[in-house]
Amino acid sequence: DAGITQSPRHKVTETGTPVTLRCHQTENHRYMYWYRQDPGHGLRLIHYSYGVKDTDKGEVSDGYSVSRSKTEDFLLTLESATSSQTSVYFCAIRDIQDGYTFGSGTRLTVV
Amino acid sequence: DAKTTQPNSMESNEEEPVHLPCNHSTISGTDYIHWYRQLPSQGPEYVIHGLTSNVNNRMASLAIAEDRKSSTLILHRATLRDAAVYYCILRDNNAGNMLTFGGGTRLMVKP
């Protein structure tokens, strides 16, 4: 299994503050993804990356930006957090065998 | 995007086989059929995937209809730990290799 870690695991922040979530992988996989999951819903894609400095928008990208300056790190930034961005955020990588490995998630609460 | 249709929920008895259906009538020739499951408070976990032929691994079997418009995930002997939400997903090779999640099937396993 690819090593994938998300940090922080939990965060509470105030409306209007910037927040950055980190996804770190240990096996140099090319594709990385950020999803959000809200109660009673499946996961929705926010942004994805297909290489260093190569990123693209997903289904729900408004209010989010991403950066990938190194293969191993994919950062998700909320420039100015809003209550509607309270959610659980999952990072994923696509591995060599074509399966996808997900991180344990970051629970973000915007108050 | 091609979409999938799954029952909202299913029940099974422990130690019995479970057949989880998925309809994907608009599947294209380049779509891979992926199955993931999500246990409570965890990220999604890869189960199995295939293109045209039936597939087996240590977790499950995937039976794909000859016309590819439907598939069935087979858990050969359900355990209490198999209680989860199971997602059937079509992955488009030509669209960033992203996974687009639907609502999934909540599988309940009775002892």
Side-chain angles (χ1 to χ4, degrees):
Chain A
D1 275 358
I4 178 169
T5 55
Q6 293 184 231
S7 59
R9 293 295 312 276
H10 302 271
K11 185 169 183 66
V12 179
T13 191
E14 293 186 350
T15 300
T17 60
V19 177
T20 295
L21 309 182
R22 180 181 183 235
C23 178
H24 179 79
Q25 57 142 331
T26 58
E27 298 191 11
N28 292 321
H29 294 297
R30 180 180 172 196
Y31 286 90
M32 299 184 75
Y33 306 84
W34 275 108
Y35 288 86
R36 62 177 286 176
Q37 185 172 33
D38 301 300
H41 294 276
L43 282 73
R44 292 181 293 171
L45 182 68
I46 305 171
H47 280 278
Y48 66 98
S49 170
Y50 45 96
V52 173
K53 297 186 180 177
D54 290 324
T55 65
D56 208 344
K57 296 179 179 180
E59 177 190 0
V60 290
S61 59
D62 287 349
Y64 301 94
S65 63
V66 289
S67 66
R68 191 152 177 218
S69 57
K70 300 185 290 185
T71 299
E72 59 265 36
D73 287 325
F74 191 32
L75 305 180
L76 176 71
T77 297
L78 291 66
E79 301 290 347
S80 177
T82 68
S83 58
S84 65
Q85 293 177 311
T86 292
S87 189
V88 180
Y89 292 85
F90 290 101
C91 174
I93 60 98
R94 178 191 169 204
D95 62 35
I96 294 173
Q97 288 77 32
D98 214 29
Y100 292 71
T101 302
F102 287 80
S104 300
T106 295
R107 185 173 296 275
L108 177 68
T109 303
V110 183
V111 297
Chain B
D1 285 346
K3 298 204 183 301
T4 63
T5 303
Q6 301 176 253
N8 288 335
S9 63
M10 291 183 64
E11 267 190 11
S12 172
N13 294 317
E14 196 176 13
E15 299 189 5
E16 290 185 356
V18 182
H19 290 232
L20 297 165
C22 182
N23 287 317
H24 28 79
S25 58
T26 59
I27 191 170
S28 73
T30 56
D31 286 333
Y32 282 78
I33 302 162
H34 281 244
W35 283 83
Y36 286 75
R37 71 180 187 182
Q38 188 173 22
L39 280 65
S41 301
Q42 295 188 25
E45 174 188 27
Y46 170 80
V47 177
I48 201 166
H49 78 282
L51 183 61
T52 56
S53 303
N54 294 345
V55 185
N56 301 296
N57 66 20
R58 64 176 178 80
M59 288 183 70
S61 296
L62 175 60
I64 301 172
E66 199 168 328
D67 63 5
R68 301 214 320 130
K69 293 183 184 301
S70 65
S71 61
T72 302
L73 179 70
I74 303 166
L75 307 179
H76 295 286
R77 205 160 157 266
T79 70
L80 296 179
R81 290 179 299 173
D82 290 323
V85 178
Y86 287 78
Y87 296 99
C88 169
I89 302 165
L90 300 183
R91 195 209 79 197
D92 185 349
N93 256 4
N94 301 318
N97 295 291
M98 66 191 72
L99 299 177
T100 301
F101 286 78
T105 296
R106 181 173 297 279
L107 176 65
M108 292 166 280
V109 181
K110 297 183 293 184

